[in-house]
Coordinates of all heavy atoms in Angstrom, one line a residue:
M769 N -8.8 -0.8 18.3 CA -9.6 -0.4 17.0 C -9.1 -1.4 16.0 O -8.0 -1.9 15.9 CB -9.1 1.1 16.6 CG -9.8 1.5 15.4 SD -9.3 3.1 14.8 CE -10.3 4.1 15.8
D770 N -9.9 -1.7 15.1 CA -9.9 -2.7 14.0 C -8.8 -2.1 13.0 O -9.0 -0.9 12.6 CB -11.2 -3.1 13.3 CG -11.1 -4.0 12.2 OD1 -10.1 -4.7 12.1 OD2 -12.1 -4.1 11.5
I771 N -7.9 -2.9 12.6 CA -6.8 -2.5 11.6 C -7.4 -1.9 10.3 O -6.9 -1.1 9.7 CB -5.8 -3.6 11.4 CG1 -4.6 -3.0 10.4 CG2 -6.4 -4.8 10.7 CD1 -3.4 -2.8 11.1
L772 N -8.5 -2.5 10.0 CA -9.3 -2.1 8.7 C -9.8 -0.8 8.7 O -9.9 -0.1 7.6 CB -10.3 -3.1 8.4 CG -9.8 -4.5 8.1 CD1 -11.1 -5.5 7.8 CD2 -8.9 -4.7 7.0
T773 N -9.9 -0.1 9.9 CA -10.4 1.2 10.0 C -9.3 2.2 10.0 O -9.5 3.4 10.0 CB -11.3 1.5 11.1 OG1 -10.6 1.2 12.4 CG2 -12.6 0.5 11.1
K774 N -8.1 1.7 10.1 CA -6.9 2.7 10.2 C -6.4 3.1 8.7 O -6.9 2.6 7.7 CB -5.8 2.0 10.9 CG -6.1 1.7 12.3 CD -5.0 1.2 13.1 CE -5.5 0.9 14.5 NZ -4.4 0.4 15.4
Y775 N -5.6 3.9 8.6 CA -5.0 4.5 7.4 C -3.5 4.2 7.2 O -2.8 4.0 8.2 CB -5.2 6.0 7.4 CG -6.7 6.5 7.4 CD1 -7.4 6.5 8.7 CD2 -7.3 6.8 6.3 CE1 -8.7 6.8 8.7 CE2 -8.7 7.2 6.3 CZ -9.3 7.2 7.5 OH -10.6 7.6 7.7
I776 N -3.1 4.1 6.0 CA -1.7 3.9 5.7 C -1.1 5.3 5.0 O -1.8 5.9 4.2 CB -1.4 2.7 4.9 CG1 -2.2 2.8 3.6 CG2 -1.7 1.4 5.7 CD1 -1.9 1.5 2.7
V777 N 0.2 5.6 5.3 CA 0.8 6.7 4.7 C 2.2 6.3 4.3 O 2.9 5.6 5.1 CB 0.9 7.8 5.8 CG1 1.5 9.1 5.3 CG2 -0.5 8.2 6.3
R778 N 2.6 6.8 3.2 CA 3.9 6.5 2.6 C 5.0 7.2 3.4 O 4.8 8.4 3.9 CB 4.1 7.0 1.2 CG 3.2 6.4 0.2 CD 3.3 7.0 -1.2 NE 2.1 6.9 -1.9 CZ 1.4 8.0 -2.2 NH1 1.7 9.2 -1.8 NH2 0.2 7.8 -2.8
S779 N 6.2 6.6 3.4 CA 7.3 7.2 4.0 C 7.8 8.4 3.2 O 7.7 8.2 2.0 CB 8.5 6.2 4.2 OG 9.7 6.9 4.6
N780 N 8.4 9.3 3.8 CA 8.9 10.4 3.0 C 10.3 10.2 2.6 O 11.1 11.0 1.9 CB 9.0 11.7 3.9 CG 7.6 12.3 4.1 OD1 6.8 12.2 3.2 ND2 7.3 12.9 5.2
N781 N 11.0 9.0 3.1 CA 12.3 8.7 2.7 C 12.5 7.8 1.5 O 13.5 7.1 1.3 CB 12.9 7.8 4.0 CG 13.0 8.7 5.2 OD1 13.1 9.9 5.1 ND2 12.8 8.1 6.3
L782 N 11.5 7.9 0.6 CA 11.5 7.1 -0.6 C 11.2 8.0 -1.9 O 10.6 9.0 -1.7 CB 10.3 6.0 -0.6 CG 10.5 5.0 0.4 CD1 9.2 4.1 0.6 CD2 11.6 4.0 0.1
V783 N 11.8 7.5 -2.9 CA 11.5 8.2 -4.2 C 10.7 7.1 -5.0 O 11.1 6.0 -5.0 CB 12.7 8.6 -5.0 CG1 12.4 9.1 -6.3 CG2 13.6 9.5 -4.2
W784 N 9.6 7.5 -5.6 CA 8.8 6.5 -6.4 C 8.2 7.1 -7.6 O 8.0 8.4 -7.6 CB 7.8 5.9 -5.4 CG 6.8 6.8 -4.9 CD1 6.9 7.7 -3.9 CD2 5.4 7.1 -5.5 NE1 5.8 8.4 -3.6 CE2 4.8 8.1 -4.7 CE3 4.7 6.5 -6.5 CZ2 3.6 8.6 -4.9 CZ3 3.5 7.0 -6.7 CH2 2.9 8.0 -5.9
R785 N 8.0 6.2 -8.5 CA 7.3 6.5 -9.8 C 6.4 5.3 -10.2 O 6.8 4.1 -9.9 CB 8.3 6.8 -10.9 CG 9.2 8.0 -10.7 CD 8.5 9.2 -10.9 NE 9.3 10.4 -10.7 CZ 9.5 11.0 -9.6 NH1 8.8 10.6 -8.5 NH2 10.3 12.0 -9.4
I786 N 5.4 5.6 -11.0 CA 4.6 4.5 -11.6 C 4.9 4.6 -13.1 O 4.7 5.6 -13.8 CB 3.1 4.7 -11.3 CG1 2.9 4.7 -9.8 CG2 2.2 3.7 -12.2 CD1 1.5 4.9 -9.3
I787 N 5.4 3.4 -13.5 CA 5.7 3.3 -15.0 C 4.9 2.0 -15.4 O 5.1 0.9 -14.9 CB 7.3 3.0 -15.1 CG1 8.0 4.2 -14.6 CG2 7.6 2.8 -16.6 CD1 9.4 4.0 -14.5
D788 N 4.1 2.2 -16.5 CA 3.4 1.1 -17.1 C 2.5 0.4 -16.0 O 2.4 -0.8 -16.1 CB 4.3 0.1 -17.9 CG 4.9 0.8 -19.1 OD1 4.3 1.6 -19.7 OD2 6.0 0.3 -19.4
G789 N 1.9 1.1 -15.2 CA 1.0 0.7 -14.2 C 1.7 0.0 -13.0 O 0.9 -0.7 -12.1
E790 N 2.9 0.0 -12.8 CA 3.6 -0.6 -11.7 C 4.5 0.4 -11.0 O 5.3 1.1 -11.7 CB 4.5 -1.8 -12.1 CG 3.5 -3.0 -12.7 CD 4.3 -4.2 -13.1 OE1 5.5 -4.1 -13.4 OE2 3.7 -5.3 -13.1
A791 N 4.4 0.4 -9.7 CA 5.2 1.3 -9.0 C 6.6 0.8 -8.7 O 6.9 -0.4 -8.4 CB 4.5 1.6 -7.6
F792 N 7.5 1.7 -8.9 CA 9.0 1.4 -8.5 C 9.3 2.4 -7.3 O 9.2 3.5 -7.4 CB 9.8 1.8 -9.7 CG 9.6 0.8 -10.8 CD1 8.6 1.0 -11.8 CD2 10.5 -0.2 -11.0 CE1 8.4 0.1 -12.8 CE2 10.3 -1.1 -12.1 CZ 9.3 -0.9 -13.0
L793 N 9.8 1.7 -6.3 CA 10.3 2.5 -5.0 C 11.7 2.4 -4.9 O 12.3 1.4 -5.1 CB 9.5 1.9 -3.8 CG 8.1 1.5 -3.9 CD1 7.7 0.9 -2.6 CD2 7.2 2.7 -4.3
M794 N 12.3 3.6 -4.5 CA 13.8 3.5 -4.3 C 14.1 4.2 -3.1 O 13.4 5.3 -2.8 CB 14.5 4.3 -5.6 CG 16.0 4.1 -5.4 SD 16.8 4.7 -6.9 CE 16.2 6.3 -7.1
T795 N 15.0 3.7 -2.3 CA 15.4 4.4 -1.0 C 16.2 5.7 -1.5 O 16.8 5.8 -2.6 CB 16.3 3.6 -0.2 OG1 17.4 3.1 -1.0 CG2 15.6 2.4 0.4
E796 N 16.1 6.7 -0.6 CA 16.8 7.9 -0.9 C 18.2 7.8 -1.2 O 18.7 8.5 -2.2 CB 16.8 9.0 0.2 CG 15.4 9.6 0.5 CD 15.4 10.6 1.5 OE1 16.0 10.4 2.6 OE2 14.8 11.8 1.3
D797 N 18.9 6.9 -0.6 CA 20.4 6.6 -1.0 C 20.6 5.8 -2.3 O 21.7 5.7 -2.8 CB 21.1 5.9 0.2 CG 20.5 4.7 0.5 OD1 19.7 4.0 -0.3 OD2 20.9 4.0 1.5
G798 N 19.4 5.4 -2.9 CA 19.5 4.6 -4.2 C 20.0 3.2 -4.1 O 20.3 2.6 -5.1
K799 N 20.1 2.7 -2.9 CA 20.7 1.3 -2.6 C 19.7 0.2 -2.8 O 20.1 -0.9 -3.1 CB 21.4 1.2 -1.3 CG 22.6 2.2 -1.1 CD 23.3 2.0 0.2 CE 24.6 2.8 0.3 NZ 25.3 2.6 1.5
K800 N 18.4 0.5 -2.6 CA 17.4 -0.5 -2.7 C 16.3 0.0 -3.6 O 15.8 1.2 -3.6 CB 16.8 -0.8 -1.4 CG 17.8 -1.6 -0.5 CD 17.1 -2.1 0.7 CE 18.1 -2.7 1.5 NZ 17.6 -3.3 2.8
V801 N 15.9 -0.9 -4.6 CA 14.8 -0.6 -5.4 C 13.7 -1.8 -5.3 O 14.1 -2.9 -5.2 CB 15.2 -0.6 -7.0 CG1 14.0 -0.3 -7.8 CG2 16.2 0.6 -7.1
H802 N 12.5 -1.4 -5.2 CA 11.4 -2.3 -5.1 C 10.4 -2.1 -6.2 O 10.0 -0.9 -6.5 CB 10.7 -2.2 -3.8 CG 11.5 -2.5 -2.7 ND1 12.0 -3.7 -2.1 CD2 12.3 -1.5 -1.8 CE1 12.8 -3.5 -1.1 NE2 13.1 -2.1 -0.9
M803 N 10.0 -3.1 -6.9 CA 9.0 -3.0 -7.9 C 7.7 -3.7 -7.4 O 7.8 -4.9 -6.9 CB 9.4 -3.7 -9.2 CG 8.4 -3.5 -10.4 SD 9.1 -4.3 -11.8 CE 8.1 -5.8 -11.8
L804 N 6.5 -3.0 -7.5 CA 5.3 -3.6 -7.0 C 4.5 -4.0 -8.2 O 4.5 -3.5 -9.3 CB 4.5 -2.5 -6.2 CG 5.3 -1.8 -5.1 CD1 4.3 -0.7 -4.4 CD2 5.8 -2.8 -4.1
N805 N 3.7 -5.1 -8.0 CA 2.8 -5.6 -8.9 C 1.5 -4.6 -9.1 O 1.5 -3.6 -8.2 CB 2.4 -7.0 -8.7 CG 1.6 -7.2 -7.4 OD1 1.0 -6.3 -6.8 ND2 1.6 -8.4 -6.9
K806 N 0.6 -4.9 -9.8 CA -0.5 -4.0 -10.0 C -1.4 -3.8 -8.7 O -1.9 -2.7 -8.4 CB -1.4 -4.5 -11.2 CG -0.7 -4.4 -12.5 CD -1.6 -4.7 -13.7 CE -0.9 -4.6 -15.0 NZ -0.1 -3.4 -15.3
V807 N -1.5 -4.9 -8.0 CA -2.2 -4.8 -6.7 C -1.6 -4.0 -5.7 O -2.1 -3.0 -5.1 CB -2.7 -6.1 -6.2 CG1 -3.4 -6.0 -4.8 CG2 -3.6 -6.9 -7.1
G808 N -0.2 -4.3 -5.6 CA 0.6 -3.5 -4.7 C 0.7 -2.1 -5.1 O 0.7 -1.2 -4.2
T809 N 0.7 -1.7 -6.4 CA 0.7 -0.4 -6.9 C -0.6 0.3 -6.5 O -0.6 1.5 -6.0 CB 0.9 -0.4 -8.4 OG1 2.2 -0.9 -8.8 CG2 0.8 1.0 -8.9
L810 N -1.7 -0.3 -6.6 CA -2.9 0.3 -6.2 C -3.0 0.6 -4.6 O -3.4 1.7 -4.3 CB -4.1 -0.7 -6.5 CG -5.5 -0.1 -6.2 CD1 -6.5 -0.6 -7.3 CD2 -6.1 -0.5 -4.8
I811 N -2.5 -0.3 -3.9 CA -2.3 -0.1 -2.4 C -1.4 1.2 -2.2 O -1.7 2.0 -1.5 CB -1.8 -1.4 -1.7 CG1 -2.9 -2.4 -1.7 CG2 -1.5 -0.9 -0.2 CD1 -2.4 -3.8 -1.3
W812 N -0.3 1.1 -2.9 CA 0.6 2.3 -2.8 C 0.1 3.6 -3.1 O 0.2 4.6 -2.4 CB 1.8 2.0 -3.6 CG 3.0 3.0 -3.5 CD1 3.2 4.1 -4.3 CD2 3.8 3.0 -2.3 NE1 4.4 4.7 -3.7 CE2 4.7 4.2 -2.5 CE3 4.0 2.4 -1.1 CZ2 5.7 4.6 -1.6 CZ3 5.0 2.8 -0.3 CH2 5.8 3.8 -0.5
Q813 N -0.6 3.6 -4.1 CA -1.3 4.9 -4.7 C -2.3 5.5 -3.6 O -2.5 6.7 -3.4 CB -2.1 4.7 -6.0 CG -1.1 4.5 -7.1 CD -1.9 4.2 -8.4 OE1 -2.6 3.2 -8.4 NE2 -1.7 5.1 -9.4
Y814 N -3.0 4.6 -2.9 CA -3.9 5.0 -1.8 C -3.3 5.2 -0.5 O -4.0 5.4 0.5 CB -5.2 4.2 -1.7 CG -6.1 4.3 -2.8 CD1 -6.1 3.4 -3.8 CD2 -6.9 5.5 -2.9 CE1 -7.1 3.6 -4.9 CE2 -7.7 5.7 -4.0 CZ -7.9 4.7 -4.9 OH -8.8 4.9 -6.0
A815 N -2.0 5.0 -0.3 CA -1.3 5.1 0.8 C -0.9 6.6 1.2 O 0.1 6.9 1.6 CB 0.0 4.3 0.8
D816 N -1.9 7.4 0.9 CA -1.8 8.9 1.2 C -2.8 9.3 2.3 O -2.9 10.5 2.6 CB -2.1 9.6 -0.2 CG -3.5 9.4 -0.7 OD1 -4.3 8.6 0.0 OD2 -3.9 10.0 -1.6
G817 N -3.3 8.3 3.0 CA -4.2 8.6 4.1 C -5.6 9.0 3.7 O -6.5 9.5 4.5
S818 N -6.0 8.8 2.3 CA -7.3 9.2 1.8 C -8.4 8.3 2.1 O -9.5 8.7 2.1 CB -7.2 9.7 0.3 OG -6.8 8.5 -0.4
L819 N -8.0 7.0 2.3 CA -9.0 6.0 2.5 C -8.6 5.0 3.7 O -7.3 4.8 3.8 CB -9.1 5.1 1.3 CG -9.9 5.6 0.1 CD1 -9.8 4.5 -1.0 CD2 -11.3 5.8 0.4
P820 N -9.4 4.6 4.5 CA -8.9 3.6 5.4 C -8.6 2.3 4.7 O -9.0 2.1 3.5 CB -10.3 3.4 6.3 CG -11.3 3.8 5.5 CD -10.9 4.8 4.6
I821 N -8.0 1.4 5.3 CA -7.5 0.1 4.8 C -8.7 -0.6 4.1 O -8.6 -1.1 3.0 CB -6.7 -0.7 5.8 CG1 -5.4 0.0 6.0 CG2 -6.5 -2.2 5.2 CD1 -4.6 -0.6 7.2
K822 N -9.8 -0.6 4.9 CA -11.0 -1.3 4.3 C -11.5 -0.6 3.0 O -11.9 -1.4 2.1 CB -12.2 -1.5 5.3 CG -12.8 -0.1 5.6 CD -13.8 -0.3 6.7 CE -14.4 1.0 7.1 NZ -15.4 0.8 8.2
G823 N -11.3 0.6 2.8 CA -11.6 1.3 1.6 C -10.7 0.9 0.4 O -11.1 0.7 -0.7
I824 N -9.4 0.8 0.8 CA -8.5 0.3 -0.3 C -8.7 -1.1 -0.7 O -8.7 -1.5 -1.9 CB -7.0 0.4 0.3 CG1 -6.7 1.8 0.7 CG2 -6.1 -0.2 -0.6 CD1 -5.4 2.0 1.4
I825 N -9.2 -2.0 0.3 CA -9.6 -3.4 -0.1 C -10.7 -3.4 -1.0 O -10.9 -4.0 -1.9 CB -9.7 -4.2 1.2 CG1 -8.4 -4.4 1.9 CG2 -10.4 -5.5 0.8 CD1 -8.5 -5.0 3.2
S826 N -11.8 -2.5 -0.7 CA -12.8 -2.3 -1.6 C -12.5 -2.0 -3.0 O -13.0 -2.5 -4.0 CB -13.9 -1.2 -0.9 OG -14.5 -1.7 0.1
K827 N -11.5 -1.0 -3.2 CA -11.0 -0.6 -4.5 C -10.3 -1.9 -5.2 O -10.5 -2.1 -6.4 CB -9.9 0.5 -4.3 CG -10.5 1.7 -3.9 CD -11.4 2.4 -4.9 CE -11.8 3.9 -4.4 NZ -12.8 4.4 -5.3
I828 N -9.6 -2.8 -4.5 CA -9.0 -3.9 -5.0 C -10.2 -4.8 -5.5 O -10.0 -5.4 -6.6 CB -8.1 -4.6 -3.9 CG1 -6.9 -3.8 -3.7 CG2 -7.8 -6.0 -4.4 CD1 -6.2 -4.3 -2.5
L829 N -11.2 -5.0 -4.7 CA -12.3 -5.9 -5.1 C -13.0 -5.4 -6.4 O -13.5 -6.2 -7.2 CB -13.3 -6.1 -3.9 CG -12.7 -6.8 -2.7 CD1 -13.7 -6.7 -1.5 CD2 -12.4 -8.2 -3.2
E830 N -13.1 -4.0 -6.5 CA -13.8 -3.5 -7.7 C -13.0 -3.7 -8.9 O -13.4 -4.0 -10.0 CB -13.9 -2.0 -7.5 CG -14.9 -1.5 -6.5 CD -14.9 0.0 -6.2 OE1 -14.2 0.7 -7.1 OE2 -15.5 0.4 -5.3
R831 N -11.6 -3.7 -8.8 CA -10.7 -3.7 -10.0 C -10.2 -5.1 -10.4 O -9.9 -5.3 -11.5 CB -9.6 -2.8 -9.7 CG -8.8 -2.5 -10.8 CD -8.0 -1.2 -10.6 NE -7.1 -0.9 -11.7 CZ -6.2 0.0 -11.6 NH1 -5.9 0.6 -10.5 NH2 -5.5 0.3 -12.7
F832 N -10.0 -6.0 -9.4 CA -9.4 -7.3 -9.6 C -10.4 -8.4 -9.3 O -11.2 -8.3 -8.4 CB -8.2 -7.4 -8.8 CG -7.1 -6.4 -9.1 CD1 -6.9 -5.3 -8.3 CD2 -6.2 -6.5 -10.2 CE1 -6.0 -4.3 -8.7 CE2 -5.3 -5.6 -10.5 CZ -5.2 -4.4 -9.8
D833 N -10.1 -9.5 -10.0 CA -11.1 -10.7 -9.8 C -10.4 -11.5 -8.7 O -9.6 -12.4 -8.8 CB -11.1 -11.6 -11.1 CG -12.0 -12.7 -11.0 OD1 -12.9 -12.7 -10.2 OD2 -11.8 -13.7 -11.8
I834 N -10.9 -11.2 -7.4 CA -10.4 -11.9 -6.2 C -11.5 -11.8 -5.1 O -12.3 -10.8 -5.1 CB -9.1 -11.1 -5.7 CG1 -8.4 -11.8 -4.5 CG2 -9.5 -9.6 -5.3 CD1 -7.2 -11.3 -4.2
D835 N -11.4 -12.8 -4.3 CA -12.5 -12.9 -3.3 C -12.1 -11.9 -2.2 O -10.9 -11.7 -1.9 CB -12.8 -14.4 -2.8 CG -11.7 -15.0 -2.1 OD1 -10.7 -15.5 -2.8 OD2 -11.5 -14.8 -0.9
E836 N -13.1 -11.6 -1.4 CA -12.8 -10.6 -0.3 C -11.9 -11.1 0.8 O -10.9 -10.4 1.2 CB -14.2 -10.2 0.4 CG -14.0 -9.2 1.5 CD -15.4 -8.7 2.0 OE1 -16.4 -9.1 1.6 OE2 -15.3 -7.8 2.9
E837 N -12.0 -12.4 1.2 CA -11.1 -12.9 2.2 C -9.7 -12.9 1.7 O -8.8 -12.5 2.5 CB -11.7 -14.2 2.6 CG -11.1 -14.7 4.0 CD -11.5 -13.7 5.1 OE1 -12.6 -13.1 5.2 OE2 -10.6 -13.4 6.0
T838 N -9.5 -13.3 0.5 CA -8.0 -13.4 0.0 C -7.5 -11.9 -0.1 O -6.4 -11.7 0.2 CB -8.0 -14.0 -1.4 OG1 -8.5 -15.3 -1.2 CG2 -6.6 -14.2 -1.9
A839 N -8.3 -11.0 -0.6 CA -8.0 -9.7 -0.8 C -7.6 -9.0 0.5 O -6.5 -8.4 0.6 CB -9.1 -8.8 -1.4
K840 N -8.4 -9.3 1.6 CA -8.1 -8.8 2.9 C -6.7 -9.3 3.5 O -5.9 -8.6 3.9 CB -9.2 -9.1 3.9 CG -9.2 -8.5 5.2 CD -10.3 -8.9 6.1 CE -11.6 -8.5 5.5 NZ -12.8 -8.9 6.3
K841 N -6.6 -10.7 3.4 CA -5.4 -11.3 3.9 C -4.2 -10.9 3.2 O -3.2 -10.5 3.9 CB -5.6 -12.9 3.8 CG -4.4 -13.7 4.2 CD -4.7 -15.2 3.9 CE -3.4 -15.9 4.1 NZ -2.4 -15.7 3.1
D842 N -4.2 -11.0 1.9 CA -3.0 -10.5 1.1 C -2.7 -9.0 1.3 O -1.5 -8.7 1.3 CB -3.2 -10.9 -0.4 CG -3.2 -12.4 -0.6 OD1 -2.9 -13.2 0.3 OD2 -3.6 -12.7 -1.8
S843 N -3.6 -8.2 1.4 CA -3.4 -6.8 1.6 C -2.7 -6.5 2.8 O -1.8 -5.7 3.0 CB -4.7 -6.0 1.3 OG -5.2 -6.2 0.1
L844 N -3.3 -7.1 3.9 CA -2.8 -6.9 5.3 C -1.4 -7.4 5.4 O -0.4 -6.7 6.0 CB -3.6 -7.5 6.3 CG -5.0 -6.7 6.6 CD1 -5.9 -7.5 7.5 CD2 -4.7 -5.3 7.0
E845 N -1.0 -8.5 4.7 CA 0.3 -9.1 4.7 C 1.2 -8.1 4.0 O 2.3 -7.8 4.4 CB 0.4 -10.5 4.0 CG -0.1 -11.6 4.9 CD -0.2 -13.0 4.2 OE1 0.5 -13.0 3.1 OE2 -0.7 -13.9 4.7
F846 N 0.8 -7.6 2.9 CA 1.7 -6.7 2.1 C 1.9 -5.4 2.9 O 3.1 -4.9 3.0 CB 0.9 -6.3 0.7 CG 1.6 -5.4 -0.1 CD1 2.8 -5.6 -0.8 CD2 1.1 -4.0 -0.2 CE1 3.4 -4.7 -1.6 CE2 1.7 -3.2 -1.1 CZ 2.9 -3.4 -1.7
I847 N 0.8 -4.8 3.5 CA 0.9 -3.5 4.1 C 1.8 -3.8 5.4 O 2.8 -3.0 5.6 CB -0.5 -3.1 4.8 CG1 -1.2 -2.6 3.6 CG2 -0.3 -2.0 5.8 CD1 -2.8 -2.3 3.7
N848 N 1.8 -4.8 6.0 CA 2.6 -5.1 7.2 C 4.1 -5.3 6.8 O 5.0 -4.8 7.5 CB 2.0 -6.3 8.1 CG 1.0 -5.9 8.8 OD1 0.7 -4.9 9.4 ND2 0.0 -6.9 9.0
K849 N 4.4 -5.9 5.7 CA 5.6 -6.1 5.1 C 6.3 -4.7 4.9 O 7.4 -4.4 5.3 CB 5.7 -6.9 3.9 CG 7.1 -7.1 3.2 CD 7.0 -7.9 2.0 CE 8.3 -8.1 1.3 NZ 8.3 -8.9 0.2
L850 N 5.5 -3.8 4.2 CA 6.0 -2.4 4.0 C 6.2 -1.6 5.3 O 7.1 -0.8 5.3 CB 5.2 -1.7 3.0 CG 5.2 -2.3 1.5 CD1 4.4 -1.4 0.6 CD2 6.5 -2.6 1.0
V851 N 5.4 -1.8 6.2 CA 5.5 -1.2 7.5 C 6.8 -1.7 8.1 O 7.6 -0.9 8.7 CB 4.4 -1.6 8.5 CG1 4.6 -1.1 9.9 CG2 3.1 -0.8 8.0
D852 N 7.1 -3.0 8.2 CA 8.3 -3.5 8.7 C 9.6 -3.0 8.0 O 10.6 -2.8 8.6 CB 8.3 -5.0 8.6 CG 7.4 -5.7 9.6 OD1 6.9 -5.0 10.5 OD2 7.0 -6.9 9.3
M853 N 9.5 -2.6 6.7 CA 10.5 -2.1 5.9 C 10.6 -0.6 6.1 O 11.4 0.0 5.4 CB 10.3 -2.6 4.5 CG 10.5 -4.1 4.2 SD 9.9 -4.6 2.5 CE 11.4 -3.9 1.6
K854 N 9.7 0.0 6.9 CA 9.7 1.4 7.1 C 9.3 2.2 5.9 O 9.7 3.4 5.7 CB 11.0 1.9 7.7 CG 11.4 1.2 8.9 CD 11.4 2.0 10.1 CE 12.1 1.2 11.3 NZ 11.3 0.2 12.0
M855 N 8.5 1.6 5.0 CA 8.0 2.3 3.7 C 6.6 2.9 4.0 O 6.3 3.7 3.2 CB 8.1 1.4 2.5 CG 9.5 0.9 2.2 SD 9.4 -0.3 0.8 CE 11.0 -0.1 0.2
L856 N 5.9 2.2 4.9 CA 4.6 2.7 5.2 C 4.5 2.9 6.7 O 5.1 2.2 7.5 CB 3.5 1.7 4.8 CG 3.2 1.5 3.3 CD1 2.2 0.4 3.2 CD2 2.8 2.8 2.7
T857 N 3.4 3.8 7.1 CA 3.2 3.9 8.6 C 1.7 3.8 8.6 O 1.0 4.2 7.8 CB 3.5 5.4 9.1 OG1 4.9 5.5 8.9 CG2 3.1 5.5 10.4
I858 N 1.2 3.0 9.7 CA -0.3 2.9 9.8 C -0.7 3.9 11.0 O -0.1 4.1 12.0 CB -0.6 1.5 10.4 CG1 -0.2 0.4 9.3 CG2 -2.1 1.3 10.8 CD1 -0.4 -1.1 9.8
T859 N -1.7 4.7 10.6 CA -2.2 5.7 11.5 C -3.6 5.6 11.9 O -4.4 4.9 11.2 CB -2.1 7.1 10.8 OG1 -2.9 7.2 9.7 CG2 -0.6 7.4 10.4
E860 N -4.1 6.2 12.9 CA -5.5 6.0 13.4 C -6.4 6.8 12.7 O -7.6 6.4 12.5 CB -5.5 6.5 14.8 CG -4.8 5.8 15.9 CD -5.3 4.4 16.1 OE1 -6.6 4.3 16.0 OE2 -4.6 3.4 16.4
R861 N -6.0 7.9 12.0 CA -6.9 8.7 11.2 C -6.1 9.3 10.0 O -4.9 9.4 10.0 CB -7.4 9.8 12.0 CG -6.4 10.9 12.6 CD -7.0 11.8 13.5 NE -7.4 11.2 14.7 CZ -7.6 11.7 15.9 NH1 -7.4 13.0 16.0 NH2 -7.8 11.0 17.0
S862 N -6.9 9.8 9.1 CA -6.3 10.4 7.9 C -5.5 11.7 8.3 O -5.9 12.5 9.1 CB -7.5 10.8 7.0 OG -7.0 11.5 5.8
P863 N -4.3 11.8 7.8 CA -3.4 12.9 8.0 C -3.9 14.2 7.5 O -4.8 14.3 6.7 CB -2.1 12.6 7.4 CG -2.4 11.5 6.5 CD -3.7 10.9 6.9

């Protein structure tokens, strides 16, 4: 199955808040904090399984001045990085 038709879901092992349009993620033990830019924050907000990855990329294209190929490439790199860090999970369908 194409990765763009899959969904992303946030880890339950993080505490997060959005402040001034940017997401701040902290591990439960408080040892690591990550700050996301506006595009990363948009991806994080939709990491609730409500949209497939291609739907999230569509939201990025609506909101930011970026071409589709760059949005797709950069989004997938970001998502894969957060998956590697165990902050996101990729699923076949919406939870």
Side-chain angles (χ1 to χ4, degrees):
M769 183 183 277
D770 183 14
I771 185 104
L772 297 177
T773 62
K774 296 184 180 183
Y775 296 80
I776 54 175
V777 180
R778 294 179 214 106
S779 168
N780 290 328
N781 297 326
L782 297 169
V783 177
W784 62 278
R785 296 287 178 267
I786 297 177
I787 301 170
D788 292 330
E790 295 182 337
F792 292 82
L793 318 177
M794 184 171 55
T795 56
E796 279 185 320
D797 61 11
K799 291 185 179 180
K800 292 187 180 179
V801 176
H802 302 275
M803 186 177 98
L804 306 182
N805 65 20
K806 293 189 184 302
V807 176
T809 297
L810 186 142
I811 292 170
W812 185 257
Q813 288 176 298
Y814 285 105
D816 60 359
S818 64
L819 284 176
I821 293 171
K822 67 181 176 183
I824 296 171
I825 293 169
S826 292
K827 295 289 185 186
I828 292 168
L829 292 171
E830 289 172 11
R831 193 159 179 195
F832 299 98
D833 184 24
I834 188 171
D835 66 273
E836 185 174 357
E837 202 54 42
T838 302
K840 191 182 301 182
K841 177 185 167 290
D842 290 354
S843 295
L844 291 175
E845 284 178 10
F846 176 76
I847 289 167
N848 285 322
K849 180 179 177 182
L850 293 188
V851 167
D852 289 345
M853 295 169 70
K854 310 248 185 282
M855 295 179 161
L856 290 178
T857 303
I858 297 174
T859 66
E860 295 291 326
R861 62 183 75 154
S862 180

